[in-house]
Amino acid sequence: MKAYKDKTGSWYIQYRYKTLEGEVKKSCKRGFKTKREAEEWYREFLLKQSQSCNMLFSTFVDIYLKDMTPRLKLHTMINKEYVIKDKLLPVFGARRMDEITVANIREWQTNLMAKGYSQTYLRSINNQLSTIFNYAVRYYGLKENPCHKAGSMGKNKADEMQIWTRDEFEKFHDCIMDKRISWLAFEILFWTGIRIGELMALTFADVDLEKKVITINKSYQRLKGKDVITSPKTPKSNRKVNMPQFLAEDILDYRESLYDPTPSSRLIPVTKNFLEREMERGVKLSGVKKIRIHDLRHSHASLLIEMGFSPKEIAERLGHENIETTLNTYSHLYPDKQERLAERLNQFYNDMQETEGV
């Protein structure tokens, strides 16, 4: 197809394309500054139509994001788009998909690792690039994912996980008693292991104080300046979490201190930023080590492991999609349990020997 200049001096191109139903249609794309720009756009358009991986990385990303947007949650897409725009497109955007080499990716990894990002952030950036190439392999005939040969960078979350023991939490907790809503919020997080978004979405109707059960069926997000209530992270995140008696009593005392709360009122009507500031304040006053709010969830899991609960029980309480998630996340907390198991087997064997000797 040939490009043409219109009366305003900009270029346009008329073209035909085939729909998914096989119907041939005619269209026009305007607003190009040069003839070359118009013809290059048309070339990329044809590559999209042919599902060729000879297209630019930036062009392929447009296809990928268009396909993923209706399939993923809004906050997931926002995070994905930010990483792609900030970390991938500046380096790979002008390269063709089938021309990006293992050496290109290794160089990109080296440059990122030199910038001092956290190990978990490096891993998430690398995973996003690999996900795009996996999509190209699966749906657009790319021969292989170059990220596989390049290897990964960064480390899993479990490698950076920090937790509070019960004693550390109590020291922290005592130092924020002057703000009751903060005190209760962190108490719920530590003793139930629910996610911060799940906590902030809770209403009084979700908390059955007689049965001592919290119903998790939604999550709170602050997206683009707006409060958004979404479904939980995964289907298994829809769950009921039993709480200890003392926690139910503390929530009851808190509810009775409020002026006529309705069932639909949020239990903890604050922002994540507020709780992060409160956590910093409590850490400074108590002197305990600094951790993230999400690490309270890991602290709860660690406490359950120490108490002897099985991975299956912990997975159900935390709302993990499968038990493998629990084992992979907390495997580093289990080694001493294996030692104790071996010691108990040894003790059992010795007891049997003594019994048979008698």
Side-chain angles (χ1 to χ4, degrees):
M1 291 292 174
K2 184 179 179 181
Y4 302 91
K5 183 182 287 188
D6 61 23
K7 294 179 180 180
T8 66
S10 63
W11 290 80
Y12 69 94
I13 191 163
Q14 293 180 326
Y15 60 96
R16 290 183 175 84
Y17 67 97
K18 184 177 291 187
T19 67
L20 293 175
E21 293 77 21
E23 182 181 358
V24 177
K25 290 191 174 184
K26 185 178 180 180
S27 188
C28 179
K29 179 73 172 177
R30 297 181 178 274
F32 299 105
K33 294 180 180 180
T34 65
K35 179 180 180 181
R36 180 177 179 180
E37 184 180 330
E39 291 175 343
E40 180 61 27
W41 177 89
Y42 182 60
R43 180 175 184 273
E44 289 296 307
F45 175 80
L46 290 178
L47 291 173
K48 283 185 182 181
Q49 292 289 301
S50 66
Q51 296 190 333
S52 169
C53 279
N54 188 238
M55 71 180 78
L56 297 175
F57 181 85
S58 58
T59 301
F60 189 79
V61 162
D62 289 340
I63 297 173
Y64 169 75
L65 291 177
K66 182 179 180 180
D67 188 36
M68 289 295 105
T69 296
R71 303 171 191 272
L72 300 176
K73 293 182 178 179
L74 178 59
H75 69 277
T76 301
M77 285 305 304
I78 290 175
N79 292 335
K80 185 182 288 289
E81 288 171 358
Y82 174 79
V83 169
I84 291 173
K85 180 180 179 180
D86 193 58
K87 299 296 186 294
L88 305 187
L89 288 179
V91 178
F92 302 109
R95 298 173 185 264
R96 301 208 168 270
M97 284 292 292
D98 55 4
E99 294 177 354
I100 297 175
T101 66
V102 173
N104 295 149
I105 295 173
R106 294 285 293 185
E107 181 182 6
W108 167 75
Q109 291 175 335
T110 300
N111 291 335
L112 281 176
M113 289 188 287
K115 293 184 177 181
Y117 295 125
S118 72
Q119 293 297 305
T120 53
Y121 187 48
L122 289 172
R123 175 60 66 89
S124 68
I125 297 171
N126 196 86
N127 287 349
Q128 182 55 71
L129 180 64
S130 185
T131 296
I132 291 173
F133 278 112
N134 281 338
Y135 183 87
V137 170
R138 184 172 183 179
Y139 298 111
Y140 281 78
L142 187 67
K143 291 183 179 180
E144 62 179 355
N145 181 347
C147 290
H148 292 167
K149 288 185 178 180
S152 189
M153 64 176 174
K155 296 180 180 179
N156 289 325
K157 291 182 179 180
D159 297 329
E160 289 192 338
M161 186 186 301
Q162 294 198 68
I163 60 174
W164 279 344
T165 63
R166 177 182 174 180
D167 288 342
E168 287 175 310
F169 174 72
E170 293 296 346
K171 288 180 182 178
F172 163 83
H173 204 213
D174 289 344
C175 290
I176 58 170
M177 290 185 68
D178 57 320
K179 291 188 180 180
R180 190 167 190 174
I181 195 167
S182 306
W183 184 85
L184 181 63
F186 288 115
E187 183 178 33
I188 294 173
L189 290 171
F190 183 82
W191 290 106
T192 66
I194 65 177
R195 301 177 178 93
I196 179 66
E198 295 169 345
L199 169 74
M200 295 174 66
L202 286 178
T203 64
F204 283 95
D206 297 322
V207 182
D208 189 329
L209 295 178
E210 290 187 7
K211 294 182 179 179
K212 298 186 287 295
V213 171
I214 297 175
T215 299
I216 305 295
N217 55 22
K218 53 190 173 295
S219 183
Y220 171 93
Q221 305 285 338
R222 183 73 177 173
L223 301 175
K224 296 183 178 181
K226 296 181 179 180
D227 295 336
V228 179
I229 300 297
T230 67
S231 58
K233 186 175 181 180
T234 66
K236 284 291 183 67
S237 295
N238 286 283
R239 65 198 188 281
K240 293 185 181 297
V241 178
N242 289 79
M243 55 182 155
Q245 178 67 35
F246 68 83
L247 180 56
E249 292 173 355
D250 287 342
I251 294 176
L252 176 61
D253 288 342
Y254 165 72
R255 187 182 68 182
E256 292 179 344
S257 71
L258 302 177
Y259 177 73
D260 195 26
T262 66
S264 62
S265 298
R266 284 175 58 201
L267 179 68
I268 307 293
V270 299
T271 65
K272 183 179 179 181
N273 286 339
F274 171 82
L275 290 179
E276 287 175 341
R277 291 195 299 272
E278 282 296 277
M279 194 164 199
E280 290 179 5
R281 182 172 74 94
V283 166
K284 185 176 181 180
L285 290 173
S286 64
V288 299
K289 64 177 178 287
K290 183 179 179 180
I291 65 173
R292 306 167 303 165
I293 291 179
H294 189 71
D295 289 325
L296 291 173
R297 178 171 164 86
H298 299 320
S299 299
H300 182 71
S302 174
L303 181 64
L304 297 181
I305 292 171
E306 185 64 28
M307 294 173 67
F309 289 97
S310 69
K312 183 177 184 297
E313 291 171 307
I314 296 172
E316 290 175 352
R317 185 168 179 82
L318 296 183
H320 286 163
E321 194 64 17
N322 50 60
I323 195 172
E324 286 76 17
T325 300
T326 309
L327 292 170
N328 291 337
T329 304
Y330 302 112
S331 59
H332 62 298
L333 298 178
Y334 279 97
D336 62 325
K337 297 295 180 184
Q338 293 295 327
E339 293 176 8
R340 294 183 191 181
L341 187 150
E343 290 174 1
R344 291 184 63 179
L345 287 173
N346 190 63
Q347 183 62 48
F348 177 77
Y349 175 80
N350 290 336
D351 291 345
M352 289 292 293
Q353 291 292 98
E354 292 178 3
T355 300
E356 291 175 358
V358 175

